[in-house]
Amino acid sequence: RRAEAELRQAQDELIQAAKLAVLGQMAAGINHELNQPLAAIRAYAENARVFLDRGRSEAANGNLAQIVELTARMAEISAQLKQFSRKSGDSLTAVSAQASFGYALRLYRSRLTEARVEVIQDWPVEDVWVHADLVRLEQVLVNLIGNALQAMSETPAPRLELSIVEENGWVRLGVRDHGPGIAASHLGRVFEPFFTTKATGKGLGLGLSISARIVDDLGGRLEASNAADGGARFSVTLRASGAANPPTAARLSQTGALSLCKENRHA
Ligand code: ADP
């Protein structure tokens, strides 16, 4: 039993380490995300001083309002990172599938814009609730989206298709890309720890094995396949959570990243 407990702890630490590695990979994007508003704040502040010197207090006031808005945006980014890097709790709650995708997309916002990735969100307008842990589910989606973006780095018109389908008490979250897909001989191996086809420094081969373990812990399953017309498709199937479960903590605003994406919602 002690060995089992130790193994469990080691696995938990591995999950945490992998999460930090993902954060490391995204550091450049995050840097950009914070530097942009920072530069804007500086410009607004400098101009406000000029306006004040000239007695144009109304114009200065306008600049201050912009500054307030920009700092709120920065605080939001920072709060989200804090949320992502914390260790998850053990308790499973009702988590909005759309909000989980929203969180994951936000972390990739600048990368998606820079690589001109078209993001299709195929899901109902109403929140679909899954029985999960927001942090862990987000970690899985961040891994899947990160892989999809890496796979499409050479794709001329990169398109990321995200979907949510609820069926018979289960919810399927799909992440489909238009990259080269997974070689048939690799399909059975992608969930093995340390299996990677990426160059040194580009991947450790842990993302999918850890994601599969997380989804398994959540009582669901993670599957990989190739789409008939090319590209890889990953699906996370989790138990649906009745709306009877008050989901306030997991709900979050879907502004920001989502507004960048092409929407394809259905009622
Ligand atoms: P890593 O990304 O570090 O290689 P993963 O466990 O996330 O580790 O992925 C393992 C392997 O699965 C990748 O090296 C790649 O060969 C394959 N793979 C994962 N996602 C995709 C994808 N979207 N398209 C094609 N191959 C993929």
Side-chain angles (χ1 to χ4, degrees), residues 59-80:
N61 204 22
N63 278 15
L64 292 176
Q66 295 282 358
I67 290 172
V68 170
E69 207 170 287
L70 285 163
T71 52
R73 195 172 115 202
M74 292 175 77
E76 209 180 296
I77 295 165
S78 135
Q80 196 182 343

mmCIF file of all heavy atoms in Angstrom, residues 59-80:
data_model
loop_
_atom_site.group_PDB
_atom_site.id
_atom_site.type_symbol
_atom_site.label_atom_id
_atom_site.label_comp_id
_atom_site.label_asym_id
_atom_site.label_seq_id
_atom_site.Cartn_x
_atom_site.Cartn_y
_atom_site.Cartn_z
ATOM 1 N N ALA A 59 -9.309 64.842 -22.175
ATOM 2 C CA ALA A 59 -8.528 63.888 -22.984
ATOM 3 C C ALA A 59 -7.700 63.010 -22.053
ATOM 4 O O ALA A 59 -7.581 61.791 -22.263
ATOM 5 C CB ALA A 59 -7.632 64.649 -23.951
ATOM 6 N N ALA A 60 -7.127 63.620 -21.017
ATOM 7 C CA ALA A 60 -6.320 62.839 -20.060
ATOM 8 C C ALA A 60 -7.190 61.793 -19.394
ATOM 9 O O ALA A 60 -6.774 60.636 -19.205
ATOM 10 C CB ALA A 60 -5.716 63.772 -19.010
ATOM 11 N N ASN A 61 -8.391 62.191 -19.078
ATOM 12 C CA ASN A 61 -9.325 61.274 -18.436
ATOM 13 C C ASN A 61 -9.625 60.059 -19.326
ATOM 14 O O ASN A 61 -9.685 58.916 -18.855
ATOM 15 C CB ASN A 61 -10.612 62.050 -18.122
ATOM 16 C CG ASN A 61 -11.362 61.399 -16.998
ATOM 17 O OD1 ASN A 61 -10.768 60.655 -16.210
ATOM 18 N ND2 ASN A 61 -12.647 61.627 -16.927
ATOM 19 N N GLY A 62 -9.772 60.333 -20.605
ATOM 20 C CA GLY A 62 -10.017 59.244 -21.567
ATOM 21 C C GLY A 62 -8.866 58.253 -21.553
ATOM 22 O O GLY A 62 -9.062 57.033 -21.566
ATOM 23 N N ASN A 63 -7.645 58.787 -21.502
ATOM 24 C CA ASN A 63 -6.478 57.905 -21.470
ATOM 25 C C ASN A 63 -6.452 57.068 -20.191
ATOM 26 O O ASN A 63 -6.117 55.882 -20.214
ATOM 27 C CB ASN A 63 -5.195 58.733 -21.544
ATOM 28 C CG ASN A 63 -4.871 59.116 -22.969
ATOM 29 O OD1 ASN A 63 -5.721 59.008 -23.849
ATOM 30 N ND2 ASN A 63 -3.651 59.552 -23.190
ATOM 31 N N LEU A 64 -6.822 57.704 -19.087
ATOM 32 C CA LEU A 64 -6.811 56.966 -17.813
ATOM 33 C C LEU A 64 -7.822 55.826 -17.849
ATOM 34 O O LEU A 64 -7.566 54.727 -17.349
ATOM 35 C CB LEU A 64 -7.091 57.908 -16.642
ATOM 36 C CG LEU A 64 -5.969 58.923 -16.380
ATOM 37 C CD1 LEU A 64 -6.361 59.886 -15.262
ATOM 38 C CD2 LEU A 64 -4.665 58.206 -16.015
ATOM 39 N N ALA A 65 -8.943 56.080 -18.499
ATOM 40 C CA ALA A 65 -9.961 55.022 -18.605
ATOM 41 C C ALA A 65 -9.402 53.839 -19.396
ATOM 42 O O ALA A 65 -9.618 52.676 -19.046
ATOM 43 C CB ALA A 65 -11.218 55.567 -19.270
ATOM 44 N N GLN A 66 -8.651 54.143 -20.457
ATOM 45 C CA GLN A 66 -8.033 53.064 -21.253
ATOM 46 C C GLN A 66 -7.044 52.273 -20.400
ATOM 47 O O GLN A 66 -6.955 51.055 -20.486
ATOM 48 C CB GLN A 66 -7.255 53.656 -22.443
ATOM 49 C CG GLN A 66 -8.128 54.365 -23.450
ATOM 50 C CD GLN A 66 -8.840 53.357 -24.355
ATOM 51 O OE1 GLN A 66 -8.645 52.153 -24.228
ATOM 52 N NE2 GLN A 66 -9.697 53.851 -25.224
ATOM 53 N N ILE A 67 -6.313 53.020 -19.568
ATOM 54 C CA ILE A 67 -5.317 52.359 -18.708
ATOM 55 C C ILE A 67 -6.004 51.398 -17.742
ATOM 56 O O ILE A 67 -5.574 50.267 -17.549
ATOM 57 C CB ILE A 67 -4.460 53.409 -17.961
ATOM 58 C CG1 ILE A 67 -3.547 54.114 -18.968
ATOM 59 C CG2 ILE A 67 -3.649 52.773 -16.833
ATOM 60 C CD1 ILE A 67 -2.779 55.291 -18.424
ATOM 61 N N VAL A 68 -7.115 51.870 -17.164
ATOM 62 C CA VAL A 68 -7.854 51.019 -16.228
ATOM 63 C C VAL A 68 -8.293 49.736 -16.938
ATOM 64 O O VAL A 68 -8.148 48.633 -16.420
ATOM 65 C CB VAL A 68 -9.080 51.780 -15.658
ATOM 66 C CG1 VAL A 68 -9.990 50.845 -14.885
ATOM 67 C CG2 VAL A 68 -8.608 52.928 -14.765
ATOM 68 N N GLU A 69 -8.787 49.889 -18.158
ATOM 69 C CA GLU A 69 -9.261 48.727 -18.905
ATOM 70 C C GLU A 69 -8.116 47.753 -19.191
ATOM 71 O O GLU A 69 -8.255 46.544 -19.038
ATOM 72 C CB GLU A 69 -9.859 49.225 -20.221
ATOM 73 C CG GLU A 69 -10.923 48.313 -20.776
ATOM 74 C CD GLU A 69 -11.607 49.013 -21.933
ATOM 75 O OE1 GLU A 69 -12.394 49.956 -21.681
ATOM 76 O OE2 GLU A 69 -11.312 48.642 -23.069
ATOM 77 N N LEU A 70 -6.978 48.308 -19.578
ATOM 78 C CA LEU A 70 -5.836 47.442 -19.915
ATOM 79 C C LEU A 70 -5.308 46.703 -18.684
ATOM 80 O O LEU A 70 -4.923 45.527 -18.765
ATOM 81 C CB LEU A 70 -4.721 48.273 -20.555
ATOM 82 C CG LEU A 70 -5.014 48.690 -22.001
ATOM 83 C CD1 LEU A 70 -4.092 49.820 -22.423
ATOM 84 C CD2 LEU A 70 -4.841 47.500 -22.938
ATOM 85 N N THR A 71 -5.298 47.396 -17.539
ATOM 86 C CA THR A 71 -4.799 46.700 -16.342
ATOM 87 C C THR A 71 -5.760 45.579 -15.955
ATOM 88 O O THR A 71 -5.332 44.528 -15.482
ATOM 89 C CB THR A 71 -4.605 47.651 -15.136
ATOM 90 O OG1 THR A 71 -5.806 48.377 -14.956
ATOM 91 C CG2 THR A 71 -3.457 48.605 -15.337
ATOM 92 N N ALA A 72 -7.041 45.791 -16.207
ATOM 93 C CA ALA A 72 -8.009 44.727 -15.889
ATOM 94 C C ALA A 72 -7.715 43.511 -16.759
ATOM 95 O O ALA A 72 -7.777 42.369 -16.294
ATOM 96 C CB ALA A 72 -9.426 45.232 -16.122
ATOM 97 N N ARG A 73 -7.369 43.764 -18.018
ATOM 98 C CA ARG A 73 -7.069 42.647 -18.918
ATOM 99 C C ARG A 73 -5.836 41.889 -18.438
ATOM 100 O O ARG A 73 -5.780 40.661 -18.435
ATOM 101 C CB ARG A 73 -6.844 43.185 -20.328
ATOM 102 C CG ARG A 73 -6.879 42.092 -21.361
ATOM 103 C CD ARG A 73 -6.850 42.688 -22.752
ATOM 104 N NE ARG A 73 -5.629 42.322 -23.426
ATOM 105 C CZ ARG A 73 -5.123 42.995 -24.455
ATOM 106 N NH1 ARG A 73 -5.705 44.065 -24.900
ATOM 107 N NH2 ARG A 73 -4.025 42.578 -25.024
ATOM 108 N N MET A 74 -4.825 42.663 -17.997
ATOM 109 C CA MET A 74 -3.601 42.009 -17.519
ATOM 110 C C MET A 74 -3.888 41.186 -16.263
ATOM 111 O O MET A 74 -3.356 40.090 -16.097
ATOM 112 C CB MET A 74 -2.526 43.063 -17.244
ATOM 113 C CG MET A 74 -2.033 43.714 -18.504
ATOM 114 S SD MET A 74 -0.873 45.034 -18.163
ATOM 115 C CE MET A 74 0.599 44.103 -17.794
ATOM 116 N N ALA A 75 -4.732 41.724 -15.405
ATOM 117 C CA ALA A 75 -5.053 40.999 -14.170
ATOM 118 C C ALA A 75 -5.762 39.684 -14.503
ATOM 119 O O ALA A 75 -5.533 38.661 -13.864
ATOM 120 C CB ALA A 75 -5.932 41.867 -13.277
ATOM 121 N N GLU A 76 -6.587 39.736 -15.534
ATOM 122 C CA GLU A 76 -7.329 38.541 -15.937
ATOM 123 C C GLU A 76 -6.361 37.458 -16.427
ATOM 124 O O GLU A 76 -6.484 36.285 -16.068
ATOM 125 C CB GLU A 76 -8.263 38.938 -17.080
ATOM 126 C CG GLU A 76 -9.522 38.130 -17.184
ATOM 127 C CD GLU A 76 -10.338 38.637 -18.356
ATOM 128 O OE1 GLU A 76 -10.784 39.796 -18.317
ATOM 129 O OE2 GLU A 76 -10.487 37.885 -19.306
ATOM 130 N N ILE A 77 -5.386 37.873 -17.215
ATOM 131 C CA ILE A 77 -4.402 36.913 -17.732
ATOM 132 C C ILE A 77 -3.628 36.300 -16.564
ATOM 133 O O ILE A 77 -3.424 35.091 -16.483
ATOM 134 C CB ILE A 77 -3.412 37.602 -18.705
ATOM 135 C CG1 ILE A 77 -4.161 38.093 -19.934
ATOM 136 C CG2 ILE A 77 -2.292 36.655 -19.108
ATOM 137 C CD1 ILE A 77 -3.374 39.080 -20.773
ATOM 138 N N SER A 78 -3.234 37.141 -15.654
ATOM 139 C CA SER A 78 -2.435 36.656 -14.537
ATOM 140 C C SER A 78 -3.251 35.718 -13.636
ATOM 141 O O SER A 78 -2.762 34.694 -13.175
ATOM 142 C CB SER A 78 -1.847 37.854 -13.798
ATOM 143 O OG SER A 78 -1.972 37.711 -12.439
ATOM 144 N N ALA A 79 -4.543 36.051 -13.447
ATOM 145 C CA ALA A 79 -5.393 35.188 -12.615
ATOM 146 C C ALA A 79 -5.544 33.822 -13.275
ATOM 147 O O ALA A 79 -5.560 32.782 -12.612
ATOM 148 C CB ALA A 79 -6.760 35.829 -12.433
ATOM 149 N N GLN A 80 -5.611 33.844 -14.585
ATOM 150 C CA GLN A 80 -5.794 32.589 -15.301
ATOM 151 C C GLN A 80 -4.554 31.697 -15.193
ATOM 152 O O GLN A 80 -4.645 30.485 -15.032
ATOM 153 C CB GLN A 80 -6.094 32.901 -16.750
ATOM 154 C CG GLN A 80 -6.673 31.700 -17.431
ATOM 155 C CD GLN A 80 -6.944 31.960 -18.881
ATOM 156 O OE1 GLN A 80 -6.991 33.105 -19.306
ATOM 157 N NE2 GLN A 80 -7.116 30.910 -19.616
#
